[in-house]
Amino acid sequence: MRNQQSTQLLFELSRAGRRAHRLGDLDVPSVNVDDLFTAESLAETPPPLPELAEGDVVRHFVCLSTLNMSVDTHFYPLGSCTMKYNPKRNERIASLPGFLNVHPLQHESGLQGLLELLYELQGMFAEISGLPGVSMQPAAGAHGELAALLVAAAYFREQGSDRSVVLTADSAHGTNPASAQMAGFKTKTVKSNANGLVDLEDLKAKLDDKTAVFMLTNPNTLGLFDSQIEEINQLVHDAGALIYLDGANMNAILGITRPGDFGADLMHYNPHKTFSGPHGGGGPGAGPICVRDFLAKYLPGPIVTRVENENATSDDDRYTYHLTSPSGDSIGRVRSFFGNTGVLVRAYIYLRTYGGDGLRHVSEDAVLGANYLLSKVKHFLDVPHGNRCMHEFVASASRLKKEKHLSAMDIAKRILDYGFHAPTVYFPLVVDEAVMVEPTETESKQTLDAFVEALFRITEEGEELIHDAPHSTRISRPDDVTAARRPVLKWTDAAGESAT
């Protein structure tokens, strides 16, 4: 049951003279505002702000918030984005005053508890990745990609090398070539083979003395672990280049294998995907990066370091922690201050909660859930690559489109009517009419069964019903391109008055 009235614009709900308070009679001498401000500081008329009671405002925003889908309210099988449930205790602990009230300019002597936490977190990221050098300054996953590629560029620059090309897989996230371009590299695309893995012959053909980095996602965006990784490792390193691992799919391999062990030289984490943190909305985020020891001196800083106190009288003052500024070899800061520490605190709590064995269970359950869904979905949607998958899989609506004129977008729109967020569609680009599903480890079998049932019903429905879907939302099918390029940010009432 939707409250349609309260989700109108605040300007539409406004009524002249309506207030959220009523003040008593003035019991102090009144002062003319013209005596306090110069004429040029005062507007000729009051600003056209909406006039509302407190209840109107609260009801408006609460009702608006319920129009959105979220992990807290719906199953969110958004492939490649790992929309897992975030335990609320992580939010509560990260909101403790000791974390919440610190200031970026506060002296580190008053931050020892937080710095100790961040120091331990650096060690955890190093242990999970198998890469000892860690910087937590980047503000998001793509920012981590850029920072790591700048590290690679600094490394080759010091070597006197003119390597200027970054190779990316054709199934890579779009941020990979974009980050490479922003870091000053040229990019070349390496094809996938018929099995959805790196085409080794194409990789060999494109590796040369200009290649700086091969950016690899493993498991890749088709949900497949590239079993050729040892040969890829050998080929890239023999060519004198580095391997960058896109860490977006780390949720599939936690505690099972480590990027540093299978050949990666640099990588980033997406803490909000793999561990715990807010999803969407543009942040705040974090994109910690890990590198091999010979690359550590180029990392952006500051980095948290620990010094043992020789005169310590107890374990409580055994160590002091410091924010250590970058050395002369560092690429320097990539953002202000340390980073989004609130997000990092949530990741720390998540890691301490699960521990090493727990993390392995996280990935095993994520892979189990994806394979369970795959085993059900493949009976009515083609899954071009593999009978087994890691934490996600990519189905195709191509046959459905030919036979019933139903596209991947139709499925994504119609599934909203069944109460599920849409899976990722049309990515990766190597699958025609791609439908990319990632259930995560936090969903129950009952939820997965209900999702499969909804998908199956959609494939049996008539095209007219589906082409107009969704039917249960306020807006059905907006013109996404026009909305992005020509957003309407100004409201105009019937009398022609406008507000921005």
Side-chain angles (χ1 to χ4, degrees):
M1 185 181 298
R2 291 287 183 189
N3 181 342
Q4 306 284 356
Q5 181 200 28
S6 292
T7 51
Q8 297 176 41
L9 297 179
L10 290 176
F11 290 100
E12 294 171 322
L13 295 170
S14 174
R15 293 295 180 272
R18 185 167 293 172
R19 294 288 183 273
H21 62 273
R22 183 184 297 276
L23 299 178
D25 294 335
L26 186 64
D27 59 356
V28 296
S30 63
V31 178
N32 190 331
V33 69
D34 293 330
D35 297 333
L36 299 175
F37 299 96
T38 59
E40 57 268 23
S41 301
L42 297 173
E44 295 180 357
T45 58
L49 299 176
E51 299 177 74
L52 300 155
E54 180 177 319
D56 297 330
V57 177
V58 170
R59 195 168 291 165
H60 171 76
F61 286 107
V62 170
C63 287
L64 277 186
S65 72
T66 63
L67 294 179
N68 277 335
M69 281 191 164
S70 68
V71 175
D72 283 357
T73 57
H74 296 82
F75 177 36
Y76 221 107
L78 199 64
S80 201
C81 215
T82 314
M83 300 292 282
K84 64 170 73 174
Y85 173 76
N86 284 206
K88 292 295 172 281
R89 68 188 296 271
N90 300 350
E91 300 295 323
R92 289 197 300 272
I93 296 174
S95 299
L96 291 174
F99 297 126
L100 200 61
N101 296 333
V102 296
H103 191 279
L105 296 178
Q106 194 169 329
H107 193 272
E108 62 186 28
S109 62
L111 299 169
Q112 285 299 296
L114 177 60
L115 294 180
E116 181 177 358
L117 179 154
L118 295 173
Y119 179 83
E120 291 185 5
L121 184 59
Q122 286 177 177
M124 294 176 186
F125 285 154
E127 174 63 25
I128 295 167
S129 67
L131 297 167
V134 180
S135 171
M136 299 192 287
Q137 214 199 18
H143 196 208
E145 292 179 12
L146 173 62
L149 289 171
L150 291 175
V151 166
Y155 165 72
F156 286 117
R157 193 160 50 243
E158 189 174 60
Q159 302 297 310
S161 169
D162 61 350
R163 291 176 181 269
S164 58
V165 176
V166 168
L167 303 181
T168 62
D170 60 2
S171 60
H173 295 102
T175 53
N176 287 187
S179 297
Q181 292 278 347
M182 289 188 69
F185 292 102
K186 300 173 184 176
T187 59
K188 292 182 181 178
T189 303
V190 177
K191 297 177 184 175
S192 299
N193 62 22
N195 298 319
L197 307 178
V198 172
D199 185 325
L200 294 181
E201 294 306 314
D202 196 46
L203 175 63
K204 292 175 186 174
K206 288 172 179 167
L207 277 171
D208 58 26
D209 59 2
K210 296 296 183 186
T211 306
V213 179
F214 179 34
M215 299 184 78
L216 180 69
T217 308
N218 198 22
N220 65 20
T221 58
L222 292 166
L224 306 174
F225 190 89
D226 201 317
S227 55
Q228 312 165 116
I229 189 62
E230 285 190 23
E231 192 169 357
I232 292 171
N233 180 16
Q234 191 74 41
L235 289 170
V236 174
H237 288 142
D238 283 353
L242 302 173
I243 294 178
Y244 178 87
L245 183 94
D246 181 334
N249 290 346
M250 282 295 291
N251 209 51
I253 59 173
L254 295 170
I256 299 171
T257 186
R258 306 192 303 175
D261 293 345
F262 61 68
D265 302 296
L266 317 93
M267 68 161 289
H268 78 268
Y269 287 103
N270 297 92
H272 66 291
K273 295 181 182 180
T274 309
F275 307 120
S276 181
H279 287 268
I289 58 175
C290 301
V291 300
R292 292 202 181 278
D293 52 1
F294 65 91
L295 297 170
K297 66 178 182 178
Y298 308 104
L299 285 171
I303 290 170
V304 183
T305 55
R306 186 176 72 175
V307 175
E308 185 165 4
N309 298 326
E310 295 180 356
N311 300 319
T313 57
S314 68
D315 287 342
D316 291 339
D317 63 349
R318 183 177 178 187
Y319 300 106
T320 55
Y321 298 86
H322 304 278
L323 288 170
T324 301
S325 298
S327 69
D329 295 315
S330 164
I331 64 170
R333 289 177 177 269
V334 294
R335 58 151 295 143
S336 58
F337 302 111
F338 186 81
N340 289 320
T341 54
V343 176
L344 297 171
V345 169
R346 289 169 173 83
Y348 175 84
I349 297 163
Y350 182 93
L351 290 169
R352 287 295 302 268
T353 300
Y354 278 100
D357 290 341
L359 284 184
R360 185 183 179 98
H361 283 303
V362 164
S363 288
E364 289 175 344
D365 288 350
V367 172
L368 178 64
N371 277 282
Y372 179 73
L373 270 186
L374 169 61
S375 70
K376 299 280 188 178
V377 169
K378 69 181 183 181
H379 294 294
F380 54 88
L381 279 177
D382 294 333
V383 182
H385 298 288
N387 292 320
R388 292 286 184 272
C389 64
M390 295 296 288
H391 64 308
E392 62 189 1
F393 65 91
V394 181
S396 171
S398 182
R399 181 167 53 86
L400 201 62
K401 187 175 183 179
K402 293 174 183 173
E403 295 176 355
K404 296 187 176 182
H405 307 292
L406 301 180
S407 66
M409 183 60 74
D410 290 328
I411 293 174
K413 294 293 186 182
R414 180 58 176 150
I415 199 74
L416 301 179
D417 289 330
Y418 285 87
F420 299 102
H421 192 279
T424 297
V425 292
Y426 300 109
F427 179 79
L429 302 178
V430 294
V431 174
D432 187 35
E433 294 291 325
V435 179
M436 189 181 199
V437 180
E438 180 179 359
T440 83
E441 73 281 5
T442 59
E443 299 298 332
S444 68
K445 178 177 179 296
Q446 289 71 31
T447 298
L448 301 186
D449 286 339
F451 177 70
V452 170
E453 176 68 20
L455 274 181
F456 174 71
R457 287 191 179 193
I458 291 170
T459 63
E460 296 291 300
E461 290 178 334
E463 63 180 277
E464 290 186 4
L465 175 67
I466 297 178
H467 286 166
D468 292 334
H471 302 281
S472 57
T473 58
R474 292 286 295 273
I475 299 173
S476 179
R477 295 208 184 194
D479 183 335
D480 296 336
V481 175
T482 300
R485 293 183 176 178
R486 299 173 60 188
V488 179
L489 302 177
K490 186 171 68 176
W491 171 74
T492 303
D493 68 12
E497 299 288 337
S498 63
T500 300

